[in-house]
Amino acid sequence: MCGDEDGDLLLDEEEEIDFYAILNVPKDATDDEIIKAYRKRCLMFHPDRFTDNDEKKDAERVFVKLRRAHEVLLDPKQRAIYDALGVQGLDTQGWELVSRSANPENIRKEYEFLQRLKERELMLQRVHPTSTFMIKTTVAGMFQENEEDRYPPQLLGISLSQSVDCAFTGVDRFGLSGRVKTGNGRGDGSVSAVWKRVAGNVNLENTVSLSADSVSLTCRAARNVFTRAAVIVQPQLQYNMLHEAFIPSIALIYSMKLHPRWQGSIVLNISPIANALTTTMVHTENNHAKAVGSLTLSPVNSNVRLVYFIRKPENDAVTEMSVQMTTYGINPAIIMDRRLSRYSRLSCSFHFSFPSCLLYTKFKLKAGQSTFDWQIVLCDDKEALSRSVLYGVAIPYFTFQLAKMIFRPWWERFKMMFEDNSREQEVDVAKKEEAANIVNLMRATAERIKRDEESKNGVIIESARYGQCDISGTRAYPLAGERTIDVTVPLQAMVNDSQLRVYTVKSQLPGFYDPCPGDPKMLTVRYFFRGEEHSCTVADEMPLMIPLRAHRLTNEKT
């Protein structure tokens, strides 16, 4: 439709563009839906609709992106590559690199390096190698009251586990995992092989495990029985080499979504050793667990477990507080986890058991696919509990906080050593300017659609802001932060027959850009429908559906 004169309008480099967002279609959109969305966008951004030279040039640039998205998503091969690897997988960046380089030898070396890097990333994505190194020590002897009873820190055990998981066919995956450990003068280990297969609506998983004293075969079959429910059957057969006996068992699991924010499950374990019945309720918030409660009835050890999560998106931190009450005592715990850098996380936890008075802490560092776990026993004696809490928990904690306050500049500099997203936190000025130009192109369409909606009492966007999401403090609901942008015009232009549907991340929609890279984002919309005022707020990764009865402000007042 643009002819052949737009060849010089192609992007200088293949930036990472969301083709689904440009056309505003879901990722599972059919060819007819893609063509329909493409034609609708063409009517809005066709260069022939504009007479001003600057507006025509901006429209041509948007039109090139629309045509590129249309071509890729309608080609099954290109679409599969794009879904797996993004724009970079279409191999256009390599040709751009060749055309811009001056030294052929440097071009070849850099291109081969990028190819090797890409192959390595693909290998990691397909094989999923993981490893865990755990060390267990005790410093409980240092907190004894009598000096003659004190003893230096001791190493209790070390364990190392590794696993790989890769796909053989489109429906089959195979994995291997192994674990070795040593403690108290003896060693142990195990190895497992897993075969996973998707057979229609049933997910199958078969596992064979071998250890020093047992061999077990576990089969697992999971299937959705209703729209919101699933059933899992997991039989197991274990052979104990020490007693030369077979021990069969089976687990039956029924899970169901009871409410948009509530998930429930019932687990029945049957075995010759002991039977158990467990029921669990999970309350979610923004697709993350907020609270968990479970009850287990068993002749061996009945228990109740309660878990509550506190999330701080501004620094990607999670605090988990839990308590488990059994027939033998009570076990409270607190786990504090936060992001250290883009590819690493650090957590610290404290666990206590009463009446045994066992107190220990864990430090866990997860870097990429590797996990390092250090467990330190602080107390294993009731008589030394108060001294262990004072010298092993309280004094180190307050000393650390005091050192952070005194040496704050050095502490901030230390944290910056792990930060590698400085470029991402800078707003792309070019995209900001491009979004402003696109808004100007969409303004006439938005005004026309607004007049049409007013005539039939339909959806009229009063105001819409997109950007930073502030969840700090003790509020139960998020508020818009300081870094937001006005997106009233783009959303009004996207209204079709008194409906607005946004399926994907909003920052790449026409007229949008990311005003706060690296921060959680949300979209707040106030609109009128049938003469009544509505309001809604959705997270960046959640779809937007307008209108809905739940958005009516009159509901909140009543």
Side-chain angles (χ1 to χ4, degrees):
M1 298 176 67
C2 285
D4 297 328
E5 298 178 358
D6 60 340
D8 58 338
L9 296 173
L10 294 177
L11 299 179
D12 291 337
E13 55 182 331
E14 281 284 12
E15 57 180 328
E16 195 61 38
I17 303 175
D18 190 339
F19 290 151
Y20 296 100
I22 292 176
L23 298 176
N24 191 28
V25 294
K27 292 186 180 298
D28 57 349
T30 63
D31 289 352
D32 292 337
E33 292 173 340
I34 293 172
I35 294 174
K36 182 179 179 181
Y38 172 68
R39 289 175 177 175
K40 183 180 178 181
R41 288 287 190 272
C42 287
L43 295 176
M44 187 183 305
F45 295 106
H46 197 285
D48 293 342
R49 296 184 68 252
F50 305 94
T51 57
D52 183 80
N53 291 333
D54 293 336
E55 291 183 350
K56 183 183 290 288
K57 189 173 182 180
D58 293 334
E60 288 173 348
R61 291 188 178 276
V62 177
F63 199 84
V64 169
K65 292 184 179 181
L66 289 173
R67 194 172 65 177
R68 174 70 166 150
H70 175 258
E71 292 175 353
V72 171
L73 297 185
L74 287 183
D75 188 325
K77 293 183 179 180
Q78 292 193 54
R79 184 174 181 178
I81 296 174
Y82 172 77
D83 288 343
L85 304 174
V87 178
Q88 305 297 334
L90 300 176
D91 287 335
T92 56
Q93 184 177 5
W95 294 110
E96 288 289 333
L97 176 65
V98 171
S99 63
R100 294 183 180 185
S101 301
N103 190 324
E105 184 64 21
N106 291 339
I107 293 174
R108 183 184 63 81
K109 290 182 178 179
E110 187 172 357
Y111 185 77
E112 291 178 354
F113 170 77
L114 292 175
Q115 288 297 104
R116 289 194 300 269
L117 183 62
K118 185 176 180 180
E119 292 174 359
R120 177 176 175 81
E121 291 178 352
L122 287 175
M123 183 273 293
L124 293 177
Q125 293 176 3
R126 293 174 179 174
V127 179
H128 299 290
T130 61
S131 63
T132 302
F133 177 78
M134 188 182 72
I135 181 172
K136 184 177 181 180
T137 60
T138 177
V139 294
M142 299 177 60
F143 305 129
Q144 295 294 327
E145 185 174 2
N146 298 325
E147 187 175 354
E148 58 271 13
D149 295 333
R150 298 174 187 170
Y151 54 88
Q154 294 182 348
L155 177 64
L156 300 181
I158 296 177
S159 69
L160 176 64
S161 60
Q162 290 186 324
S163 65
V164 292
D165 182 271
C166 59
F168 277 93
T169 64
V171 296
D172 293 285
R173 299 188 67 88
F174 184 76
L176 285 174
S177 62
R179 180 172 181 262
V180 292
K181 63 177 182 178
T182 177
N184 297 325
R186 64 183 300 266
D188 195 5
S190 63
V191 62
S192 300
V194 182
W195 172 45
K196 303 176 184 178
R197 180 178 178 84
V198 180
N201 296 326
V202 180
N203 293 328
L204 302 176
E205 181 176 326
N206 303 305
T207 305
V208 178
S209 300
L210 175 64
S211 63
D213 52 7
S214 66
V215 179
S216 65
L217 172 63
T218 304
C219 300
R220 178 186 177 96
R223 176 186 171 86
N224 291 331
V225 291
F226 303 109
T227 305
R228 300 182 176 183
V231 172
I232 301 175
V233 180
Q234 184 172 308
Q236 182 184 58
L237 181 62
Q238 181 180 8
Y239 178 72
N240 192 301
M241 300 179 184
L242 182 62
H243 299 90
E244 297 183 350
F246 288 95
I247 306 175
S249 63
I250 187 172
L252 305 176
I253 305 172
Y254 180 77
S255 179
M256 184 175 183
K257 191 172 185 179
L258 307 175
H259 185 269
R261 294 187 178 183
W262 286 95
Q263 181 85 17
S265 65
I266 298 177
V267 182
L268 176 62
N269 289 283
I270 303 175
S271 70
I273 300 176
N275 300 328
L277 178 64
T278 301
T279 178
T280 304
M281 294 289 292
V282 180
H283 175 62
T284 61
E285 186 176 272
N286 294 329
N287 293 331
H288 294 287
K290 182 68 175 179
V292 180
S294 65
L295 170 65
T296 300
L297 301 177
S298 172
V300 178
N301 185 19
S302 299
N303 63 82
V304 176
R305 187 170 186 266
L306 304 174
V307 185
Y308 185 75
F309 297 88
I310 300 177
R311 303 182 185 275
K312 295 182 179 180
E314 61 272 12
N315 54 10
D316 198 4
V318 181
T319 301
E320 175 185 338
M321 296 174 289
S322 65
V323 59
Q324 185 175 19
M325 295 166 284
T326 70
T327 54
Y328 302 104
I330 183 171
N331 306 307
I334 181 171
I335 303 174
M336 296 161 288
D337 180 276
R338 66 161 295 164
R339 182 180 66 89
L340 189 61
S341 69
R342 186 190 305 180
Y343 303 110
S344 61
R345 301 189 65 87
L346 179 66
S347 67
C348 175
S349 61
F350 292 93
H351 306 260
F352 180 68
S353 298
F354 181 83
S356 62
C357 293
L358 175 63
L359 175 65
Y360 64 92
T361 182
K362 277 186 178 181
F363 295 95
K364 179 182 292 186
L365 174 63
K366 185 174 182 181
Q369 301 296 326
S370 301
T371 303
F372 304 89
D373 199 333
W374 183 18
Q375 178 177 330
I376 306 173
V377 178
L378 301 175
C379 179
D380 56 7
D381 184 7
K382 183 178 180 180
E383 301 296 332
L385 179 59
S386 58
R387 293 176 58 87
S388 299
V389 173
L390 177 62
Y391 295 108
V393 180
I395 292 180
Y397 175 78
F398 288 109
T399 302
F400 175 70
Q401 295 297 330
L402 182 62
K404 282 176 55 178
M405 294 176 59
I406 297 175
F407 305 102
R408 177 169 295 276
W410 290 273
W411 171 252
E412 296 296 334
R413 189 176 304 173
F414 172 76
K415 290 197 302 182
M416 289 300 296
M417 294 172 56
F418 298 93
E419 295 294 340
D420 49 10
N421 58 353
S422 56
R423 285 189 61 187
E424 295 182 356
Q425 292 179 350
E426 298 179 1
V427 176
D428 194 323
V429 178
K431 291 185 177 180
K432 180 179 179 180
E433 182 179 352
E434 180 184 4
N437 295 335
I438 294 176
V439 170
N440 291 331
L441 299 178
M442 302 174 74
R443 196 174 301 277
T445 302
E447 292 176 355
R448 176 182 58 80
I449 293 177
K450 184 177 181 180
R451 290 193 298 268
D452 294 341
E453 294 295 323
E454 287 176 343
S455 64
K456 58 184 178 181
N457 219 7
V459 173
I460 303 170
I461 306 298
E462 180 70 14
S463 65
R465 298 202 67 85
Y466 171 73
Q468 190 176 24
C469 178
D470 183 9
I471 319 181
S472 60
T474 58
R475 296 185 303 272
Y477 54 90
L479 291 178
E482 298 179 353
R483 304 167 67 184
T484 61
I485 58 174
D486 185 1
V487 292
T488 306
V489 172
L491 289 186
Q492 186 67 68
M494 294 167 62
V495 174
N496 181 27
D497 195 17
S498 298
Q499 289 187 345
L500 176 60
R501 301 290 185 264
V502 179
Y503 302 98
T504 184
V505 174
K506 288 78 177 172
S507 61
Q508 297 207 28
L509 291 171
F512 285 62
Y513 70 93
D514 191 347
C516 53
D519 293 340
K521 286 169 281 293
M522 68 180 190
L523 174 63
T524 301
V525 184
R526 296 180 70 90
Y527 64 97
F528 284 91
F529 179 66
R530 294 180 179 175
E532 296 182 334
E533 189 174 6
H534 294 63
S535 178
C536 67
T537 299
V538 296
D540 194 25
E541 66 275 5
M542 300 297 293
L544 173 66
M545 303 293 178
I546 287 180
L548 289 179
R549 184 182 298 272
H551 296 167
R552 291 173 56 191
L553 294 181
T554 54
N555 288 343
E556 298 178 1
K557 296 178 182 179
T558 57

